[in-house]
Amino acid sequence: MAIMQYILSAKQESRKLLVVLIDPDKPAAVDALCPHLSLPDLIFVGGSTGESTQACIAQLRQFTDRPIVLFPGNIAQFTPTADALLFLTLLNAQTPDVLINPHIQVAQEVLRSGIETIPMGYILIDGDRKSSVEIATNCTPIPQNDVQKIVSIAIAGQLLGKSLIYLEAGSGAHAPVSPDIIRAVRAQLQLPLIVGGGITTPEEMLSAYKAGADIVVIGNHFEQYPDEIADFVRIKQDKYGE
C-alpha cells in the first residue's frame, strides 16, 4: 500500500499513528533505536547533513519492515531507497532559497527515481527554544499565541494542494504545539495533521491526538529513552487501537 493511502486509511478509521524520527547523523542513537523500530507505525528519516542517510536506511531495513519516509532537511538527504519522500514546503519561510529553490534543484532526480512523493506543508511554531530548523533556514517561528495566523497558514497550505500539514515546534522544543493550536487548525483542515517537537510523555501524545492530530512524531525523546517506544505504542493502541 502506498504511504499516503495508508495515512488516509488510518485517518478514515480514526486510527492514530506514531512516528519515530531518526537522525542519521547520530549513529549511536540510531544503534540504540534499531531494536525498537518494529513498534511504531512509520519511521521518518532526516538530519542536518544527509551524508549518512542512505547507509542509515540500509541499517534500519535490517531491524524493521515499517515504512521508511524521508523527512529531509536539505536536498543532500534525498535517496530513492526510502519508501516515500515528504516533499515539504516551509510555509512560513521568508526567502525563495528555502521556499522553492531546493525543490527545483532536486526535482528531476526525484521524478526519475519514481519514489512516492507526498507534498507537505510544514509550519514552524515557537517551541520556546531555538531549533535547528530555525537556524538552518533563518525562518522566524510563529508565536504560539498567534493561533489565527497559524490557522491561516495551514488553510493556505491546503488550498495550495498539500496532502499533509505538519505543525512543528522544533527539535527538542521546551513547549510542544499547544492543544489550542491543534484544535483550531483541525477545525478548518480536511487533510491529515501531523504534530511534532517537544513531546516527551504519553500524556502529551494523547493530548495532541485528542486535540485533532492524526500523526505524532517523536525524535529527541526516543533518542534518549529508546526503551519507552514500547510504552508509547501500547498506550496509543489502548486508546485508539492498532
Side-chain angles (χ1 to χ4, degrees):
M1 180 186 294
I3 306 303
M4 191 61 214
Q5 185 55 53
Y6 172 69
I7 292 171
L8 289 172
S9 295
K11 178 173 170 53
Q12 290 166 1
E13 296 164 9
S14 299
R15 288 187 292 110
K16 304 296 187 178
L17 303 180
L18 178 64
V19 174
V20 174
L21 173 60
I22 302 287
D23 186 342
D25 299 322
K26 298 177 179 178
V30 175
D31 290 345
L33 285 162
C34 275
H36 307 277
L37 294 182
S38 63
L39 299 171
D41 300 291
L42 294 165
I43 298 166
F44 286 179
V45 175
S48 55
T49 69
E51 295 176 358
S52 307
T53 304
Q54 188 163 327
C56 177
I57 290 174
Q59 179 181 355
L60 300 180
R61 297 282 192 205
Q62 299 177 42
F63 290 88
T64 183
D65 60 358
R66 300 297 188 181
I68 298 174
V69 181
L70 283 178
F71 179 37
N74 59 59
I75 61 173
Q77 293 173 31
F78 174 68
T79 170
T81 60
D83 296 303
L85 165 68
L86 296 174
F87 204 62
L88 67 92
T89 302
L90 181 53
L91 293 175
N92 51 315
Q94 280 86 42
T95 67
D97 286 340
V98 175
L99 189 61
I100 188 61
N101 285 350
H103 306 74
I104 295 170
Q105 293 174 47
V106 78
Q108 292 194 44
E109 183 181 359
V110 170
L111 186 63
R112 284 194 301 267
S113 76
I115 193 172
E116 180 184 354
T117 305
I118 303 172
M120 183 178 77
Y122 183 80
I123 305 172
L124 187 59
I125 297 168
D126 185 13
D128 196 29
R129 177 182 179 182
K130 196 159 190 173
S131 68
S132 57
V133 176
E134 181 181 355
I135 295 168
T137 64
N138 199 30
C139 175
T140 302
I142 304 170
Q144 296 221 21
N145 61 6
D146 201 346
V147 176
Q148 289 310 306
K149 183 174 183 180
I150 295 169
V151 170
S152 293
I153 294 173
I155 293 171
Q158 178 170 272
L159 295 175
L160 283 165
K162 304 303 181 187
S163 298
L164 302 170
I165 295 294
Y166 193 134
L167 304 179
E168 170 70 279
S171 179
H174 293 158
V177 178
S178 75
D180 287 345
I181 293 172
I182 299 169
R183 195 174 298 111
V185 171
R186 174 80 282 158
Q188 299 296 327
L189 198 71
Q190 283 73 56
L191 306 178
L193 181 61
I194 306 175
V195 175
I199 294 173
T200 61
T201 67
E203 290 75 22
E204 289 172 339
M205 174 187 69
L206 293 177
S207 178
Y209 288 143
K210 183 178 179 181
D214 300 293
I215 302 172
V216 164
V217 178
I218 302 176
N220 271 23
H221 182 73
F222 287 156
E223 288 176 2
Q224 298 176 56
Y225 308 102
D227 292 346
E228 291 190 10
I229 293 174
D231 293 332
F232 278 72
V233 170
R234 176 182 53 79
I235 290 167
K236 176 188 75 74
Q237 290 176 342
D238 286 347
K239 184 72 175 178
Y240 295 103
E242 291 289 340

